Every structure is written in structure tokens, then in C-alpha cells.
Amino acid sequence: MRYIIIGAGAVGGTVGGRLAEAGREVVLVARGRHLAALGEHGLRLRVPEGELTYRLPAVDGPGPLGELRADDVLVLAVKTQDTVAALETWAEVPVAGGGTAADRLPLVCLQNGVEGGRLALRRFRQVYGVCVWLPSTFVEPGVVSAAGTPLTGILHLGRLPHGTDDTARRIAADLDAAHFEAPVVPDVDRWQHAKLLWNLGTAFEAVCGPAADEAAHALLARVRAEGEAVLDAAGIAHASAGEQRAARGDKVTLVPLDGAPRGGGSSWQSLARGTGTIEADYLNGEIVLLGRLHGVPTPLNELLQRLANRFARERRAAGSLPVDELERLVKEAVAAADRAPLDVD
């Protein structure tokens, strides 16, 4: 199979590089300065073994590829806010032998949150979800870092909305050969919702920086508790913290990488690169949406969603909000929610 990585950033670039290292055929899709750097210098992947360089085909869209192959796998690794545009770009591309990508090719959603898969199912027949546990960084054009060892990441994989098939198992086998563990599960949605709860902290990290003291960790616990209450009210199952710890074990241990300091996760990186957008609407915003649908107040997630969007829109520096200022805003948000409870008949 040929893997077309749509969005060769932190996660997509790491997966693409590791697959290429394992001998799989890979095409990277990128744009702007990142695309130019990939074309000029190749993909530079910084991992615990050192810096590896891969000279891979890099394109800005389907045009240069012409007709797609029947053995192509589309790997959607853009941020959720860019998903609709990517789906529109690739869905109607013709495939050798007839039909279009949306009709014939598997689409693997290598994304945080759960909305990307739902959007993809509107356009593509074969959609696969992934619970992405892959610490990686992309802040410099052409350079991606992944500090995990002995595995680069763990990627639970399954068909959406549920189930497994031979295609999922073939993709998982390729990932298993490329420094990943890729369990094929019939309930990938359950794993993705568990990861969603973890990702509720990415907006905090983006605006305040990584949690560094007891107060910050206590605040994050409250944010995730809101999320759990909402999922429970909505009847949405998620893997428990214990189940996740058992699955990960000590398989992905972060080590310092020369020349590649890890400042924060995907949302922090969006602010650091000054992209002007951030995925908070599909992480904290997912909890806010479900809370409104099921009558559960979510003032902390709503606040973090609003702050993250403001930071992105105004291109404010990542991690520049003092935690004590956020705590003041949290008190105001909670007080306002108490004064105006959410009523659902």
C-alpha cells in the first residue's frame, strides 16, 4: 500500500517518516514553508536514535499525483478545523480503474478528538479512526521530533463507527513494523473519547504552558472531571485511566532530544507557529457541546475554549497567561454558571 499523509506535521510527519524507514511507500502533503523545506532538504525526523532524513515525494494536493492508485491509503493528519477543506480536496479525486477516492479508498483519521471521523463519514465510505498516543513536535519547517522510546507511539485503530476488517489489520501490521504498536480494536471510539479527556488539558497548556505545580494539576483535574461528567450524562463509553495505563505501560518513554526541546502539545505548537487557528472547538468545545445537549454545566471547558481561540486569533505567545490569572477567571466563570444554571426539560 502507498500511504498519502495529508498533513505532514507533528503526527503525520512522524508516522510518514517511520513508515518510510520501514520500507513503505509514502507521499507527504504539506503547504507553504513546510512544503518548500521538505522539497529542498527532505523530512528531518528527530528521534532518540538521532536525526533521520527522508527524501520523500512532497506535494501540496492531489494534482501532482494524477489518478490515485487502488492500493492508496489516505491518512488524514490535519487539525480538525482543517478537515472539511481536506475532505473536499481529496474526496472526488479519480482512482485507477474507476470511481473516486471517497468511493474506493480507505481514509485513516490520525487526529485528536472525535469530530474528524464524523466529518469524514459524510464523504468517505471506508473511514478508520485512530486513538493517537504519539508525543511529537512540529515548530520548524521541514523538521519533526518524536521523543518516545522504545516505541514512537501507540495507535489504537478501528473502523468507524465500529468494527474491524482486513484493511485495518494490514495498516496496523505496517505501523507495527514502523516503531509503533497499533492494536486493532472494534471500539476505537471508546479509546478516542478517553484520549479526548486527556486532550482537554491542551488548551490549558497552550495558554499557560505545561502544568508545573500542584495548583495547575488540580485545575486540570477539574477540567477533566467536567468532561467525564458530560460523557457519563451522554452515555458515551470511554476507556478507563487504568485501562489506558495498562495499554501504554512503559512502551513510550520520553527522552530529551538534541536540538528539539518539547515546549508543549499540539495546541501549544499551533500558537508557537502563529497559525491563527487552534483545535479547541473540537476538544474542549466537544465537551461544551455535549454539556449543552445533556444539561451539564461546563464552565471550565468553555473558558479554556474561549481563551485558546482568543490566543490563536490574536496570535498571542504560547504559555503567556499566568496560572493565577487563569484561576481568577475560573472563579468568575464558575460563579456565572452558578447564577445561570443550564435548564433542560
Side-chain angles (χ1 to χ4, degrees):
M1 297 184 289
R2 179 176 68 168
Y3 291 88
I4 300 176
I5 311 293
I6 304 169
V11 171
T14 299
V15 170
R18 285 305 204 185
L19 283 170
E21 181 185 1
R24 275 55 176 183
E25 190 174 358
V26 174
V27 176
L28 303 178
V29 182
R31 57 190 179 186
R33 295 169 56 210
H34 188 41
L35 176 61
L38 293 173
E40 185 174 355
H41 304 293
L43 173 65
R44 296 162 58 196
L45 178 61
R46 292 172 176 162
V47 289
E49 307 96 278
E51 182 171 295
L52 311 174
T53 300
Y54 303 98
R55 295 281 183 175
L56 302 172
V59 298
D60 64 354
L65 299 177
E67 197 174 50
L68 297 178
R69 294 173 8 189
D71 65 348
D72 281 337
V73 175
L74 303 182
V75 179
L76 188 65
V78 299
K79 295 290 195 299
T80 306
Q81 63 267 27
D82 299 320
T83 294
V84 170
L87 294 172
E88 290 176 347
T89 297
W90 289 88
E92 298 304 314
V93 179
V95 178
T100 65
D103 297 328
R104 295 188 54 197
L105 298 184
L107 178 77
V108 179
C109 294
L110 197 68
Q111 300 171 295
N112 286 327
V114 296
E115 182 65 14
R118 294 197 293 244
L119 293 170
L121 283 168
R122 298 173 189 270
R123 302 293 295 270
F124 281 75
R125 290 181 178 173
Q126 301 179 64
V127 179
Y128 299 82
V130 180
C131 174
V132 181
W133 189 263
L134 171 50
S136 53
T137 303
F138 166 53
V139 293
E140 177 185 349
V143 182
V144 174
S145 302
T149 188
L151 293 178
T152 301
I154 299 176
L155 307 171
H156 286 75
L157 170 70
R159 187 91 184 237
L160 288 177
H162 49 75
T164 64
D165 60 17
D166 286 342
T167 298
R169 286 184 280 273
R170 291 177 62 202
I171 294 169
D174 283 347
L175 291 170
D176 285 340
H179 293 269
F180 297 101
E181 183 176 286
V184 178
V185 294
D187 55 352
V188 69
D189 179 77
R190 190 172 67 91
W191 288 91
Q192 288 180 307
H193 276 93
K195 180 67 187 313
L196 171 66
L197 292 175
W198 178 263
N199 282 139
L200 297 180
T202 61
F204 173 94
E205 186 180 57
V207 300
C208 294
D213 57 31
E214 186 176 337
H217 285 289
L219 184 54
L220 283 175
R222 292 173 62 193
V223 171
R224 293 182 177 123
E226 268 190 7
E228 287 196 47
V230 164
L231 295 186
D232 289 345
I236 296 174
H238 57 89
S240 68
E243 191 176 359
Q244 294 175 78
R245 284 193 299 270
R248 293 196 299 267
D250 57 358
K251 300 171 186 175
V252 183
T253 299
L254 300 186
V255 298
L257 299 179
D258 291 339
R262 179 172 169 78
S266 59
S267 295
W268 183 95
Q269 293 168 45
S270 292
L271 294 184
R273 295 200 310 275
T275 62
T277 65
I278 201 165
E279 58 190 338
D281 284 348
Y282 305 100
L283 300 176
N284 305 87
E286 178 72 18
I287 296 303
V288 172
L289 170 62
L290 289 172
R292 290 170 179 167
L293 291 174
H294 296 279
V296 180
T298 57
L300 274 67
N301 280 278
E302 186 174 348
L303 173 63
L304 286 175
Q305 177 190 9
R306 186 169 63 250
L307 287 172
N309 282 325
R310 182 183 305 162
F311 268 56
R313 185 174 59 251
E314 298 175 359
R315 288 179 165 78
R316 294 174 62 175
S320 59
L321 182 70
V323 174
D324 57 357
E325 174 64 12
L326 177 60
E327 290 179 323
R328 183 187 66 80
L329 294 173
V330 163
K331 290 178 182 178
E332 292 179 357
V334 170
D338 288 342
R339 288 194 299 269
L342 188 62
D343 294 323
V344 177
D345 293 331

